[in-house]
Amino acid sequence: MKRIGVLTSGGDSPGMNPAIRSVVRKAIYHNLEVYGVFGGYAGLISGNIKKLELGSVGDIIHRGGTMLQSARCPEFKTPEGQQKGIDQLKAHGIEGLVVIGGDGSYRGAKALTEQGFPCVGVPGTIDNDIPGTEITIGFDTALNTVIDALDKIRDTATSHERTFVIEVMGRNAGDIALWSGLAGGAETILIPEVDYNMEDIADRLQKGHERGKKHSIIVVAEGVCSGVDFAKQLSEATNFDTRVSVLGHMQRGGSPTAADRVLASRLGARAVELLIDGKGGRAVGLEKNSLVDYDIIEALDRKHKLDLDLYTLSQELSI
Ligand code: ADP
């Protein structure tokens, strides 16, 4: 392999930039040429492809977002769109592609691989919902953003003896809600993987209040329901003074944490190694602090598993 490409796709996550930097520098270190595909699969179809040098990825290791830009591209879900992408890659002499993104982006990489073009998937999403890795690039930064907000909200909640409902991201996976709720000492955590019972929640709030708790923090993953809807249900079931805070897209931005930069550097470099070894069609990840890689098609068939022990622990610690 002499020339590879790299693209970021789908929802951006903090740490995509250090992942791009790692791909580019590792490839050049091994005497490969690297081309950046700008604007995800849309840029691939339109041929928005430029050569990257060592300096092209200078001064990005600490920046959120992605210097390659990202996009959603429905056309790429069609075989015709994918063929246009392959034609562009071939026209630029690119022989392998690193795709940094989430579940949808992996499906695109899988489609290219099935059509004979080797791709390696690198898990970049704040949601931590990619199979084949215990942790995704951007999750740690998003968690730190959420607990920073939780700590601040806790101050005002305590001063006014209020209950706060905080809605965080996570449509299908409750990882952000669970980990941030545990790290931020939330009294109640609602995640899509576990049904909730309003009577139990009201009972916990009441008992906490009787013990002299000055505030209550409830973290709700957006996949369960909106924070506003949940607060309405709660005020019908109790008479606590409740406020809602929806954290929204701030969770996707910000300078990547050290943990995300290290993870991105390791995974990006491994993706390049696999392409050099002629191993396309893989998805890289981290398990038990070791780098792993799986067949990208098999990886997608696996299910991401939330750590339910953490849920139990969070309930035990928030009595
Ligand atoms: P994420 O990668 O963050 O999950 P999306 O689900 O929006 O984000 O997917 C990003 C892009 O990946 C889509 O806009 C589309 O171009 C491509 N994609 C998604 N699903 C498929 C699929 N089944 N086949 C081919 N490409 C896909």
Side-chain angles (χ1 to χ4, degrees):
M1 193 150 306
K2 296 248 168 350
R3 188 177 288 180
I4 65 167
V6 54
L7 68 75
T8 50
S9 162
D12 66 331
S13 72
M16 281 183 162
N17 273 331
I20 296 164
R21 173 182 179 271
S22 171
V23 169
V24 171
R25 298 233 165 132
K26 177 81 176 175
I28 294 175
Y29 178 85
H30 288 287
N31 299 314
L32 298 181
E33 288 184 336
V34 198
Y35 279 68
V37 179
F38 288 77
Y41 292 121
L44 183 59
I45 289 176
S46 66
N48 193 356
I49 299 172
K50 293 183 194 103
K51 189 168 185 212
L52 300 176
E53 308 290 353
L54 289 174
S56 312
V57 290
D59 206 24
I60 63 166
I61 197 164
H62 61 306
R63 294 186 200 280
T66 157
M67 66 161 275
L68 291 176
Q69 304 290 116
S70 190
R72 315 249 185 214
C73 174
E75 188 186 355
F76 201 72
K77 293 186 183 172
T78 65
E80 297 75 32
Q82 292 153 17
Q83 190 54 52
K84 283 187 199 166
I86 291 179
D87 292 345
Q88 289 287 2
L89 289 164
K90 288 192 173 154
H92 286 84
I94 296 168
E95 298 162 284
L97 182 67
V98 177
V99 173
I100 305 164
D103 191 63
S105 307
Y106 268 37
R107 287 182 198 286
K110 170 187 159 181
L112 288 180
T113 301
E114 283 171 339
Q115 299 205 28
F117 194 92
C119 292
V120 176
V122 175
T125 168
I126 63 165
D127 291 332
N128 205 38
D129 61 349
I130 305 286
T133 188
E134 286 167 357
I135 197 125
T136 59
I137 298 167
F139 178 56
D140 185 66
T141 307
L143 279 183
N144 280 284
T145 301
V146 173
I147 62 160
D148 183 48
L150 279 187
D151 291 349
K152 287 175 175 151
I153 287 168
R154 177 190 278 269
D155 289 345
T156 172
T158 307
S159 306
H160 289 275
E161 301 208 12
R162 275 181 182 145
T163 298
F164 261 90
V165 175
I166 321 275
E167 181 193 310
V168 301
M169 283 187 166
R171 256 185 245 291
N172 304 310
D175 294 54
I176 293 180
L178 177 55
W179 287 61
S180 66
L182 182 59
E187 274 70 26
T188 301
I189 300 171
L190 305 185
I191 51 177
E193 293 85 348
V194 180
D195 290 336
Y196 71 89
N197 177 312
M198 187 54 89
E199 264 178 43
D200 289 349
I201 293 171
D203 192 47
R204 282 166 80 88
L205 287 182
Q206 189 57 41
K207 286 199 177 120
H209 182 69
E210 283 162 14
R211 279 199 351 263
K213 272 199 175 198
K214 294 217 177 318
H215 64 260
S216 267
I217 306 246
I218 301 173
V219 177
V220 184
E222 65 182 335
V224 174
C225 71
S226 82
V228 173
D229 286 347
F230 181 76
K232 265 192 211 137
Q233 293 173 36
L234 187 68
S235 47
E236 280 159 19
T238 67
N239 50 11
F240 288 107
D241 186 15
T242 304
R243 295 287 187 277
V244 183
S245 206
V246 179
L247 300 188
H249 280 82
M250 66 183 288
Q251 294 162 87
R252 292 244 291 256
S255 175
T257 58
D260 270 328
R261 297 182 201 188
V262 171
L263 179 67
S265 300
R266 293 176 78 186
L267 294 179
R270 173 50 68 94
V272 173
E273 281 169 2
L274 288 171
L275 286 177
I276 290 173
D277 291 347
K279 293 187 188 149
R282 309 295 291 174
V284 296
L286 195 75
E287 287 178 352
K288 299 187 173 67
N289 203 26
S290 292
L291 294 170
V292 292
D293 58 272
Y294 293 103
D295 182 291
I296 198 164
I297 297 162
E298 276 173 27
L300 278 171
D301 290 340
R302 291 156 156 250
K303 268 248 160 263
H304 161 70
K305 278 206 201 84
L306 177 112
D307 186 350
L308 280 174
D309 288 348
L310 286 185
Y311 184 76
T312 308
L313 178 63
S314 75
Q315 291 221 305
E316 289 168 355
L317 300 187
S318 63
I319 42 172

